[in-house]
Amino acid sequence: MRLPDLEAWAIFASVVDHRSFSGAADAIGVSKATVSKAVTRLEEQLGQSLFHRTSRKLTLTENGKALADHAARILAEAVAAEEAARDAATAPAGLIRVTAPMTLGLLHVTDLIAEFLKQHPAIEIDLNLSDARVDIVAEGFDIAVRIADLPDSSLRARRLGPVTAHVIAAPAYLAAHGTPTHPAQLGEHRCLGYSNATGPWRFTGADGTEVSVRAAGPLRANSGDALLPALRQGLGIGCLPDFIVDGDLARGTLVPILTDWRLPPSAIHLMTPPGALRPARVEALLTYLAENLRRICPS
């Protein structure tokens, strides 16, 4: 049995990550020729090209795209295995790339990251805050904080706790336009939409009745926070999670409606790429985030 060329696979993964032979060579600390020879060697072993090479650009072939995730996992598991074998007294060190939703990130994750860095001065964190769906494998993230009802996935997920969505409006809007008592009536109202949530608003009644409504109105935004000023000024009805609207509900600037109807379940999850092993620094941050983000979830 011929053993796989693990060095070539790892170098291929680095070229994909850095989008160039020279970038991979600098990151690894070898010559560009060494990187090129390793990729060529792997291509010869596989009997297929991994890259389209031109004088200006390096792009993955379809075969290369199909194998890039495998290469990334090989490299990640090798790094994790080496870290796991190190002296347990050695402090975790290195870079961790994290992505999280914008509002949850600003309200909770950024403070936790700051405290974690105080405790682990040898660790660096690259934090990306965005409400857009991120492919954490393709974009090289170690950890993703996600709010979703997750479908089946090859990613590893740790569920931290539920997130409750509320249909809300300002008292002034309801006084002027009436209070809907059935989801179907939302079609007669101005609804402010969260553009990263595709599809209709879906409701389930106490008797199991399901209703879907295409909400439309004067404003759509890719951040839930961006909808709050318009909602407070009585410009329409919104549907937002508890961690965004709890303060307004407590103050009475927004009030919940359609409380006899349930919206689809959702939860905060910590996601990591597939693979049994994780670097010690990633495991340390995962544990820290899990322990602290659970506190913001209702029991």
Side-chain angles (χ1 to χ4, degrees):
M1 174 183 173
R2 183 177 182 179
L3 293 175
D5 189 342
L6 297 179
E7 179 186 49
W9 279 103
I11 289 175
F12 169 50
S14 185
V15 174
V16 173
D17 187 38
H18 293 88
R19 298 178 175 83
S20 73
F21 283 17
S22 56
D26 292 341
I28 300 170
V30 299
S31 69
K32 183 179 176 181
T34 298
V35 170
S36 180
K37 288 177 182 177
V39 172
T40 300
R41 191 168 71 240
L42 184 59
E43 289 177 323
E44 291 173 350
Q45 292 169 359
L46 297 173
Q48 53 190 265
S49 295
L50 299 173
F51 294 102
H52 296 298
R53 300 168 175 83
T54 69
S55 59
R56 295 184 177 181
K57 194 172 183 182
L58 183 73
T59 58
L60 284 166
T61 64
E62 288 304 311
N63 290 328
K65 291 176 183 177
L67 293 170
D69 287 351
H70 294 288
R73 286 197 291 271
I74 289 170
L75 178 57
E77 293 215 4
V79 171
E82 287 190 356
E83 290 202 7
R86 290 175 186 163
D87 187 345
T90 302
L95 176 66
I96 308 173
R97 299 196 67 230
V98 182
T99 179
M102 179 67 70
T103 302
L104 182 68
L106 291 173
L107 287 175
H108 300 289
V109 176
T110 51
D111 286 342
L112 296 178
I113 291 294
E115 184 59 34
F116 181 82
L117 289 173
K118 285 173 60 178
Q119 299 175 19
H120 300 277
I123 287 179
E124 300 174 12
I125 293 177
D126 179 358
L127 177 62
N128 172 276
L129 297 182
S130 172
D131 286 343
R133 178 58 62 91
V134 174
D135 184 334
I136 68 173
V137 174
E139 299 189 35
F141 287 103
D142 300 294
I143 300 173
V145 183
R146 283 190 178 165
I147 301 171
D149 179 26
L150 291 175
D152 290 338
S153 170
S154 62
L155 301 177
R156 301 172 67 187
R158 185 181 303 185
R159 186 182 188 276
L160 304 184
V163 171
T164 302
H166 301 276
V167 181
I168 36 76
Y173 176 87
L174 300 177
H177 302 280
T179 301
T181 57
H182 190 281
Q185 296 171 349
L186 290 173
E188 305 165 9
H189 287 264
R190 296 156 63 88
C191 296
L192 311 187
Y194 178 53
S195 55
N196 283 328
T198 59
W201 295 2
R202 295 184 289 115
F203 297 85
T204 302
D207 60 355
T209 301
E210 296 184 354
V211 179
S212 294
V213 179
R214 283 282 176 186
L219 176 64
R220 292 180 63 80
N222 65 354
S223 166
D225 266 336
L227 299 175
L228 286 176
L231 288 168
R232 291 167 182 153
Q233 292 181 39
L235 298 183
I237 294 173
C239 179
L240 293 172
D242 45 17
F243 63 86
I244 292 181
V245 299
D246 272 351
D248 283 275
L249 294 177
R251 292 187 295 270
T253 49
L254 298 174
V255 296
I257 61 175
L258 299 173
T259 55
D260 293 335
W261 293 81
R262 289 182 290 108
L263 290 155
S266 189
I268 298 177
H269 294 81
L270 289 177
M271 311 289 296
T272 56
L277 293 172
R278 285 188 288 251
R281 62 184 181 276
V282 175
E283 195 65 50
L285 181 57
L286 267 178
T287 300
Y288 181 81
L289 289 176
E291 290 174 352
N292 287 278
L293 287 176
R294 280 196 180 99
R295 298 175 186 172
I296 70 173
C297 301
S299 59

